[in-house]
Amino acid sequence: MLVIANWKMNMSGKEIGAYLDRLGREDRWARWASSGFRLVLCPPFVYLEALRSECRKRALPFDVMAQNMSSWEKGAYTGEVSVNMLTDLGVDGVLLGHSERRRYFGETDQTVAQKVLLALSRNLVPVVCFGENEEDRRGGSSSRVWDAQVRPVWEVVMKARQAGYASPVYWAYEPVWAIGTGKTAPLVEIREVGGYLRDNFGVSCASGLLYGGSVTDESVSVLQDGALHGFLVGSAFLDPRCVIRTFDQLCAGS
Ligand code: PGA
């Protein structure tokens, strides 16, 4: 199970130090990791390298992933960070297609698919976010939205597999109406998403389904379900105590 902390555009170098200090006072990380519960930290780009080396130095068994990357390989794209730059840093994977990227930075389903192909071609693990907004849900068009977002990515995943790129792909179902709102999707709807992925793209695809949207140490035990392989957590995981309480809950329930 992957439990991902998406810090978004939060934290300073000093705060990251204090965060790791707090996590480091917990002595069950190695045990949790060996039972299959992995914490993944996603800091802003500028902290990726320092965070990775700090985790190693402190013997904290955490993975480090980026929150985004460019859809271009290289060139005159001011301000962008390429896939090769991420592999250079040795990051474990990358979040792609987060709804905030789609909403504020105009990312389309096609751009997300391009990024996924690039990530797979460099053996980076993509965590592909998708999900409907409130209006889609009310209008009964959720599955149409999932399909528009997932299908183009699925096509490039197939292409990458044919070319021999075997990195796992995780699908993060993140309904937009649940992100940062305190409302979590009901388990029955999350299972429906698992069913949708299984029916349309085969079991292997659903073997990497994560849920994100207002997950906290309190909601996580209700959400823990056989259909899910992990969680993507935003605001709650800015507090390291909440990370520890969440692992406590998850590992007790396993
Ligand atoms: P949230 O964010 O946990 O604050 O709802 C989740 C996400 O955006 O990945």
Side-chain angles (χ1 to χ4, degrees), residues 34-52:
S34 64
S35 345
F37 293 87
R38 287 197 80 78
L39 175 62
V40 181
L41 299 173
C42 297
F45 285 130
V46 291
Y47 299 122
L48 279 169
E49 190 164 23
L51 180 65
R52 218 176 81 86

Side-chain angles (χ1 to χ4, degrees), residues 112-196:
V112 177
Q114 262 168 302
K115 293 182 181 198
V116 171
L117 186 57
L118 269 180
L120 289 173
S121 72
R122 301 300 192 289
N123 300 315
L124 264 189
V125 174
V127 177
V128 186
C129 307
F130 69 99
E132 78 286 354
N133 64 29
E134 182 72 65
E135 211 184 327
D136 304 324
R137 186 174 182 236
R138 281 219 209 100
S141 52
S142 298
S143 61
R144 203 152 42 80
V145 173
W146 306 337
D147 213 53
Q149 296 179 346
V150 171
R151 201 166 286 278
V153 175
W154 179 254
E155 281 162 13
V156 302
V157 172
M158 289 296 97
K159 213 159 117 186
R161 295 284 185 256
Q162 277 158 14
Y165 301 117
S167 295
V169 176
Y170 289 94
W171 301 90
Y173 172 53
E174 293 216 301
V176 180
W177 54 267
I179 295 176
T181 58
K183 293 186 250 175
T184 50
L187 204 46
V188 35
E189 290 180 27
I190 299 174
R191 287 187 184 140
E192 224 177 278
V193 176
Y196 157 79

Side-chain angles (χ1 to χ4, degrees), residues 6 8 98 100 174 178-180 213-215 232-235:
N6 176 11
K8 308 191 179 183
H98 191 282
E100 287 151 15
E174 293 216 301
I179 295 176
S214 296
V215 176
L232 182 43
V233 191
S235 48

Side-chain angles (χ1 to χ4, degrees), residues 203-222:
V203 178
S204 61
C205 170
S207 70
L209 177 63
L210 314 178
Y211 168 77
S214 296
V215 176
T216 65
D217 52 322
E218 279 162 25
S219 59
V220 81
S221 31
V222 180

